[in-house]
Amino acid sequence: MSYQDQWVLSWLNTIDTPPPSSVGSTFEPEKRKHSSFAVMPLSDSGRGSPKKRKAGSADAISTASGNLDVNAFAFTPSLTGDEPGSASRMRPQSPSRDLRETYRFARPPLRFSQSMDENSPQTAQELFSLLPLADTYACGVIPMNFKARIIADFSIPNPPFYVYSNSPLCEPEGELWGKMAQLLKDSRINFEENKNEKAWVVIVYEMLNAALSLYGSGSKSMVAIEDVQDPRLAPDTLPTVNNQRIPHKKVDLVLALSPNNPTVLATYTKLRTADPLVRISQFIDASLSRMTIPVYIEIGEAGKSYLEASLQLGIVGSAGLSRLEQLRRTFAPKWGDGPMMLPALGWTVIGHDWKLHIICKLTENEQDAVVVYGPYDSGGTKDYFQIFTLLRIITMVVKWVEDVYWPFFVKVAGG
């Protein structure tokens, strides 16, 4: 007899033999069936439990005895597909949910809210009112001169009248239509062929670039698209828990105020002349750290967790607001206070779906907190209704960056 068999027999001898069932007993043990669960002892503390065993061991213990404590065992689902009801299944813990809950009590706290209320910062409410996030979906987003193209390319006999507008275009009609049609085609290929995140990053970059071209700012635009997948975040801008920085991921792309624009460059030069070591953004990078960043984009393939994407957006946005506050205290200490700080904007792009968020600071119980409002529908790349809605919202975001955010940043910089 092997050592293992001796051990099992020794353990079985410690179990009391249950009394025979009475005639009127309602309990009748079923015949042993193939179990879809491997029963594993958790610790030595259970009644009669042996030492912890490896999953799937040949000597898995049966629960036929009435003296066994079921609570002392973990049930590991097998891959046979014979799982019992949902009440018996073990679901894995979500790291994103756990981190979001942890960040709620970080310093500063990072919280998420689906909508604004009377306590939301005035600057965030004003930004929300500027964007057509609450308008009728796809209302007036497609130039009227595209009507014939839509009917021809999409075989739609009578598109709804409300999707069209008479707004002028800033670039040739054929060029814009060609970009949108190509993006719709490429997005469909990404989805149907299960492309990875890198393929979706290309779609997002081209979509943003098309919107910047439509806005008509040209090579001297204040706004530029930057890839931030590699640069690290500065530790002094990150939330802490028990004085420790929490592990985090970054976003993929940002819209930054570009030093290629002479007006922007003049303000950056002023800041760096006053302090050559100044970091204007939350990133540790020779180039990106010298630009202010009001818009963040986190991208994932279709099926990525929204909780994870929005958490990444919130962390980077919180770090950006922290850096702005540091700049204000250094270069404009007599101007404004925390609640007057402008919010940042952020998209989560998961496959076709673009969701916009407003990230802002507020004061609760004399403590600063960061709140991410959203998600708000802002179109996408699934069909021509969505893509022209998205195009409209991106151009309005760019306009807000140049007309509202930039003058605000000049004040932060002491200008």
Side-chain angles (χ1 to χ4, degrees):
M1 181 180 297
S2 67
Y3 170 79
Q4 185 181 62
D5 292 337
Q6 293 178 2
W7 182 88
V8 172
L9 289 175
S10 174
W11 177 76
L12 288 174
N13 290 331
T14 65
I15 302 175
D16 297 332
T17 303
S21 302
S22 61
V23 176
S25 173
T26 59
F27 172 75
E28 295 182 3
E30 298 179 357
K31 294 181 180 179
R32 180 177 297 180
K33 298 180 181 179
H34 173 72
S35 174
S36 60
F37 287 83
V39 187
M40 303 303 303
L42 288 179
S43 67
D44 296 335
S45 60
R47 191 182 343 165
S49 298
K51 296 181 180 179
K52 183 181 291 186
R53 300 161 185 254
K54 295 182 180 180
S57 60
D59 54 333
I61 300 169
S62 168
T63 57
S65 170
N67 285 10
L68 290 179
D69 183 3
V70 177
N71 294 323
F73 298 88
F75 294 81
T76 306
S78 72
L79 300 179
T80 62
D82 298 331
E83 293 102 347
S86 60
S88 301
R89 293 176 186 162
M90 296 289 291
R91 296 185 180 273
Q93 179 69 19
S94 167
S96 299
R97 287 174 51 222
D98 191 50
L99 277 175
R100 280 167 67 109
E101 188 64 24
T102 300
Y103 271 109
R104 286 181 59 196
F105 298 93
R107 291 181 178 272
L110 174 60
R111 298 170 188 166
F112 297 84
S113 178
Q114 286 191 4
S115 59
M116 298 185 191
D117 55 28
E118 64 276 4
N119 297 319
S120 301
Q122 185 66 30
T123 53
Q125 296 184 48
E126 291 172 355
L127 174 55
F128 181 82
S129 66
L130 287 175
L131 300 174
L133 300 174
D135 288 356
T136 300
Y137 183 65
C139 181
V141 297
I142 303 178
M144 180 62 74
N145 48 350
F146 284 164
K147 183 174 182 179
R149 290 177 178 271
I150 289 176
I151 295 174
D153 291 4
F154 293 94
S155 300
I156 298 177
N158 295 304
F161 70 91
Y162 61 81
V163 304
Y164 298 109
S165 71
N166 294 314
S167 59
L169 297 176
C170 298
E171 66 173 49
E173 170 188 328
E175 185 176 347
L176 176 62
W177 179 258
K179 290 179 180 178
M180 296 298 101
Q182 188 63 47
L183 282 167
L184 287 173
K185 178 182 177 181
D186 293 343
S187 297
R188 184 178 70 251
I189 291 173
N190 280 2
F191 180 79
E192 293 177 352
E193 297 186 2
N194 303 305
K195 298 285 187 178
N196 62 17
E197 181 176 303
K198 292 182 179 179
W200 288 102
V201 170
V202 173
I203 296 292
V204 173
Y205 185 93
E206 293 300 328
M207 186 70 213
L208 294 171
N209 198 42
L212 290 176
S213 299
L214 180 62
Y215 190 67
S217 299
S219 60
K220 300 298 183 182
S221 171
M222 281 188 171
V223 181
I225 309 166
E226 297 288 344
D227 186 331
V228 295
Q229 297 178 78
D230 294 329
R232 294 181 297 114
L233 294 173
D236 63 319
T237 65
L238 292 171
T240 62
V241 172
N242 298 333
N243 297 320
Q244 299 292 323
R245 309 292 172 183
I246 310 173
H248 66 277
K249 295 182 180 179
K250 303 183 296 295
V251 296
D252 297 290
L253 301 175
V254 298
L255 296 181
L257 274 297
S258 173
N260 292 331
N261 179 277
T263 303
V264 176
L265 178 61
T267 300
Y268 288 168
T269 301
K270 177 184 175 182
L271 283 172
R272 297 186 65 185
T273 300
D275 182 1
L277 298 178
V278 66
R279 294 191 183 275
I280 299 172
S281 80
Q282 66 272 49
F283 289 97
I284 300 177
D285 179 83
S287 175
L288 286 169
S289 65
R290 267 64 181 186
M291 292 184 279
T292 185
I293 301 174
V295 182
Y296 311 95
I297 305 102
E298 169 56 24
I299 306 164
E301 70 275 7
K304 176 175 179 172
S305 165
Y306 167 76
L307 292 180
E308 178 186 351
S310 59
L311 179 61
Q312 293 171 233
L313 197 69
I315 294 170
V316 179
S318 174
L321 293 175
S322 177
R323 179 65 81 210
L324 275 179
E325 181 65 19
Q326 292 172 13
L327 291 173
R328 184 193 67 79
R329 291 174 179 173
T330 301
F331 295 98
K334 296 182 180 180
W335 174 75
D337 52 23
M340 293 182 64
M341 299 293 286
L342 274 189
L345 283 168
W347 269 289
T348 55
V349 183
I350 301 176
H352 291 299
D353 300 323
W354 291 54
K355 303 294 186 183
L356 192 61
H357 304 73
I358 297 175
I359 309 165
C360 62
K361 269 193 172 185
L362 54 81
T363 301
E364 296 178 340
N365 300 322
E366 300 182 354
Q367 181 186 19
D368 285 341
V370 176
V371 180
V372 180
Y373 292 105
Y376 301 114
D377 289 334
S378 59
T381 55
K382 185 178 181 180
D383 55 48
Y384 71 91
F385 284 100
Q386 287 194 7
I387 202 166
F388 279 100
T389 299
L390 177 60
L391 186 67
R392 177 189 183 192
I393 291 179
I394 294 175
T395 55
M396 297 186 75
V397 166
V398 173
K399 180 175 173 58
W400 173 80
V401 170
E402 295 192 353
D403 295 349
V404 180
Y405 181 88
W406 173 247
F408 158 77
F409 180 78
V410 172
K411 288 185 177 181
V412 169

